[in-house]
Amino acid sequence: MASTTRRARNGSGPLLRQRYVARLLVGTLIGRLPGGMAPVAILLLVADQGGSLGVGGLLCALYGLASALGQPVLGRMVDWRGQTLVTSAAVLITTISLLALPLTSAAAQPGVAAAVVALAGLSTPPLEAGLRALWPAVLPNEERRRAALALDTGAQGLIYVAGPPLVAALSTTMGPHTALCATAVLGLLGAAVVLTAAPSRRWRPAPAASPTGALGPLHHPGLRWLFLAMSGVGFALGAMNLWAVALADRTGMDLLSGLIPAALSTGSLIGGFLYGRRTWPGTLTQQLLAAAVLFAAGWLPLTAATSPVSATALAAVPGLLLTAVITSAFLTVDALAPPGTTTEAHAWLIASVGTGQAAGTALAGVFADRPGLGPTLPAAGAALTLAVLVGARRRLAVPGATARRRGRHRRTAAHAAR
C-alpha cells in the first residue's frame, strides 16, 4: 500500500489511469509527429525530385519558420475561441497541404512548392500549447498535475526518436512521397484523438486579470528575453538535422539522417527521466542557467567526432540536457505569463524554438558543402542561448521563488497565488 501511495505521488502508473491523461498524451504525441517527420521528409522528397540539398534546406527552413510564426497567432485564437474550432481548421489545412506537396516539383516549380510548404507550416495545429493549457482542467490535484507536466515534457523526445527514423525507413522502402503522406495522416489522426476528448471540447480560457494589449504575453520583458534565448536551442537542433542529412549524403548511409536526431532525442528522454526524479537546488532561474551551461558544453564532444558511429553516439550527449533546458523554460513561462494568455505564451516559446530551428537549418544548408562547420553550428546556437540567459537573468527571476525547487515542475508561491 505504501508503495502504491508513493507511485501515485510520483505520477507513475496511477497517473496514466486517470481519465483522459493517457488519451491526451498519446494523441498529442501522434499529432505532433509531423514536427519531427516533415523536415526530414521534405529534404528527402526534394532530393528524390532532383533538387539540391540547399533548396531542400531552404524549404525545410521555410516550413519551420512558418510553423513558428503561426503558433502564437493560433494560440491567441485558441485563448479567444477555444480549442475545437481553431485547432480543427488548422489541422485540416496543414493535412491537405502536406498531401499536396508531393504533387509539386521543388526543382521545376520552386515557388509553388514554397507556397505549399509555407501554408503547411502556418497552419500547424497548436497541440503542444493546447495540452499544457488543458492539464489544470484534467488534473485539479496539483501534485498529479506536476507529474503530468513532467511526463509530458519528457515524452516529447519520442517525436524525434520515432519521427525521423520512420521517415527514413518509409523513404527507403516506399519512397519519399509515401513518407510525406504518412506524415500528414498521422498528424490528422493525433489531432482527432485530442479534439474529440471531452476536456478539449469543454476547455475555455481563463479571463485576463488585466489588459495586456496587442503584445499579450510579450508585455513581460523577461519573457521576451527568454524567447530570444530559446531560439538558440532551436538553432542548434535545426543545424544538427541538416548536418545529419548532409553526413548521410556524403557517406552513402541514408539512415544517418534519422539516426543522429534520434540519438539526441534518446538522450533527451533519458535526461528528462533523470531530471524529473531528482530535487534540484536553487531557484528556477538558477536551474535554467545551469542547464544552459551544460547544454552548451554537451555539443563540444560532437565537434571532435571522426566517424558516423561516433557522431551518432555523441549526439546523445547534448540531448541529456535538452529536456532540462526546455522544461525550465516552460516553467518560467508558466510562472511569468499574464493570466488569460496561457496558450499564447506557451505558443511563443514553441515559436521561438521553431524560428531558431528554421534559421539553423537554412544556415547549415548554405554551408552543407563545408563538412568542418557541420557540428560547430549547433554549438554556436547553444552558446547564444547561454549568453542571452546570463544577460537577462535578473529579468527572468520569478517573484516569490524559493531557494530550492523540485526538478518536477513545482510552481512558485507567486504563481500558485495567481
Side-chain angles (χ1 to χ4, degrees), residues 78 100 321 345 406:
V78 168
L321 280 305
R406 284 175 62 101

Side-chain angles (χ1 to χ4, degrees), residues 320-379:
L320 289 171
L321 280 305
L322 177 61
T323 296
V325 175
I326 296 292
T327 300
S328 298
F330 269 116
L331 283 170
T332 304
V333 169
D334 194 39
L336 299 181
T341 65
T342 303
T343 308
E344 184 184 354
H346 288 145
W348 271 113
L349 180 57
I350 298 164
S352 66
V353 176
T355 302
Q357 191 167 1
T361 301
L363 191 59
V366 172
F367 294 107
D369 58 345
R370 301 178 64 178
L373 286 178
T376 304
L377 290 175

